[in-house]
Amino acid sequence: MQRLLGAEGALALGALIGDAGLRAAIRAEVALVRDALVTGAVELDRDALALRIDRALAGRAERAGRRHLRSVINATGVVLHTNLGRAPLGADVLDEVVDACRGYAALEYDLDEGERGHRDRVVKSLLVSLTGAEDAMVVNNCAAAVLLACTALASGREVIVSRGELVEIGGGFRIPDVIASCGATLVEVGTTNKTRAQDFERAITERTGAMLTVHQSNFAVVGFTQRASRDELAKLARARSIPLLEDLGSGALVDLASFGVGHEPTVQEAVSGGSDVVMFSGDKLLGGPQAGIIVGRAAWIERLRRHSLVRALRPGRIVMAALESTLVRYARGRATDELPALRALVEPLSVVEARAARLEEAARAHGFDLRDSVGAPSVRGAIEPSIARVGGGTLPLVELPSRALVLRADDSDGGQRSIRGIERSIRTQSEPPIVARVSDGALWLDARTIADREVDAVGRGLARALAESHASHRSDLREARPQPTLDPDEP
Ligand SMILES: *Cc1c(COP(=O)(O)O)cnc(C)c1O
């Protein structure tokens, strides 16, 4: 132990995880070596074993030194990839977040009055002016917004929902379960495919706390269908003094249809259409940080704000800073230019295509011409049409025309192994890791979700992966073939 503790890998690991952790790691590595000795897998040589253990400790140090939440390159073509953190924030927004968070910030402090303020003030006036609503507040995510609204307005009462909207959003967020956890009773009306305003009207009793509509974000119902219109439900809500809650999910502030991306109902539409409480995500089509934004009529929002759950659901200042900075881009009419997620959604195909071509050039600059067949089984790369997706459970039917750098191998087992090996290599060996997609036995790197500043890193990662693939294939061949008799004259 004393000898191992002083070696290079051990010192590196100890600096990262402390003495107790280091000793535990050494004991674990020694145990492995002991097992290997028993099975005869390693030679009994003190120096060699010590070196072997220290290398393993160095490997542990390298892994321990890496953050888990590392930045990755999204080559999947899914713009709002929930597993990759949804909307990228971009350097401009982040600079403002850093400024607001490096030291202290006026989070709940009114600088003009020199007294305590409310943290919703940070974004309230922006949200009010952007959406046309009377009031606004922010919680952790849209799921929290629905939880808060149903709890504050309908706990111990009934919530009426169409059977066509009793959906699961993902991550186990199911509308019936949420309503149950709010202490409210779900009243289902209509059918899976058809619900009318009269269905809601007939279900209203003195126990009704709210009517809830849920945007069909991640699926589509087609054919013989009908939904109660927002207009009808708003009239009904007004006449019976019941709040109409609308879970919009994505909540676009700009109409993406004007950019040829499908139509997603906008927040402005929901507000002007008469929904009393409109809830949406910060990190879907808004293109900002994870947050749940609630806008609507002042009287209802005030009831939500006074509920004790708010304290448990409020976002921290990092989120508030990023959200304000994001909303400012909308106020200035710069959202589709300056917010990376929106930019990726509306970017013209010609720009995506040019970036795809630069990916190929970057790989060449790092030593691999993808048009040449590389190795045997051969792997070749070419720019091909592809389909990018909005993601985040949003606009599931929309196909964003895109271009991808596609690596294809022949159909042999070896070819398929090469493609999977290259995918694994760019994911685990590249810095930053590159997340791409294998489909029909080919590796797709979609240029729509790759940022300009990432092009060189993708080229480097690919070149390295292909070099590895080439080398490992050659060593396979050497092992597989009978060794030629050595010619002493050969160099
Ligand atoms: C995505 C979505 C949610 C959940 O939003 P989060 O911000 O991820 O909590 C809720 N409702 C609908 C309709 C959604 O599409």
Side-chain angles (χ1 to χ4, degrees), residues 204-229:
I204 293 176
T205 68
E206 72 282 359
R207 291 184 308 279
T208 305
M211 296 192 284
L212 171 67
T213 65
V214 183
H215 180 50
Q216 296 177 336
S217 299
N218 51 4
F219 66 106
V221 185
V222 295
F224 188 57
T225 65
Q226 185 177 1
R227 300 184 69 189
S229 76

Side-chain angles (χ1 to χ4, degrees), residues 86 141-143 169 173 214-215 217 247-250 281 283-284 291 392-393:
R86 291 200 186 148
N141 53 21
C142 188
I169 305 306
F173 179 74
V214 183
H215 180 50
S217 299
D247 174 9
L248 260 186
S250 249
S281 281
D283 54 355
K284 290 187 183 173

Side-chain angles (χ1 to χ4, degrees), residues 228-237 244 272-274:
S229 76
R230 184 188 289 122
D231 191 43
E232 291 169 312
L233 292 182
K235 285 201 180 94
L236 185 57
L244 175 61
S272 68

